[in-house]
Amino acid sequence: MDHRPLNLPDALLAALRQARRAVVLTGAGISAESGVPTFRDAQTGLWASFKPEELATPDAFRRNPKLVWEWYAWRRQRVGSVAPNPGHAALVEIEHRVPEFTLVTQNVDGLHKRAGSRRVIELHGNISRTKCFKEDVLVGQWNETGEVPPRCPRCGSWLRPDVVWFGETLPPEAFAAAEQATADCDLFLCVGTSAVVYPAAGLPFTALRAGATVVEVNPEATPLTAHATHALRGPSAQVLPALVRAAWGPIPSSPARGTHS
Ligand code: APR
């Protein structure tokens, strides 16, 4: 990994300070330094022989609901045992400094809200919620009979995580709100996403068409890199705090702001 000091151009810092309407799109990379494996990283342990694309689909669930439920139970347990990192905390700071701010995340881990971000649009759902596979309604409680997956107390169908699987459509209001905020923004940060899964991957291009400054934060190049106004190569838990400090000064570390180290 490259640990040279970041080159933060004056134009980038000015765009941050002058931003009135900011949108941030995050993907699995922002949670990497919290210890949540990115979606396309090699699966580990028990799950090493499965591809996420073969587990995170309605067909996979129909074929083997127990396997898919157990995979999500494992991921839920992982997410529950980690904490937000300084990258999440830096986005909380940006929200405090820019008058209109929208955080759009593809992550289902809930770490942005735990860090203290307030205006968060979860495009792909949240792994901590459960819904009925048949009726698509949220279910808060059910009887643990030992059956896996458990059954919906209303209709007896299987329960499933409230996340968006491959081949499923995004919650329409959530995506419409993300698109609207993006079309109106003057600053767009694209953090820790491979920028290949549409429709979310289209948002930075909407921002570019709207004339916004588009900043990518990622240790690797993506299909967005060549188009971004500024591409910052590095891990978000280092790059985002450095960006906030360079633009606005030291980051307060009060727990009320959700800063974790
Ligand atoms: N900081 C920033 N970015 C990082 C870091 C880090 N420390 N570590 C890895 N990354 C980058 C990788 O270079 C990669 O570009 O994070 C990205 C992770 O990519 P994916 O695993 O493809 O995750 P994401 O882009 O969120 O996937 C989008 O696809 O499968 C669906 O629903 C799933 O939400 C997911 C969506």
Side-chain angles (χ1 to χ4, degrees), residues 27-29 33 39-40 106 124 166 192-194 197 218-220 235-236:
E33 284 141 306
F39 215 71
R40 283 164 187 74
Q106 300 166 90
H124 292 172
F166 289 100
T193 173
S194 52
V197 179
N218 199 312
E220 309 286 338
S236 48

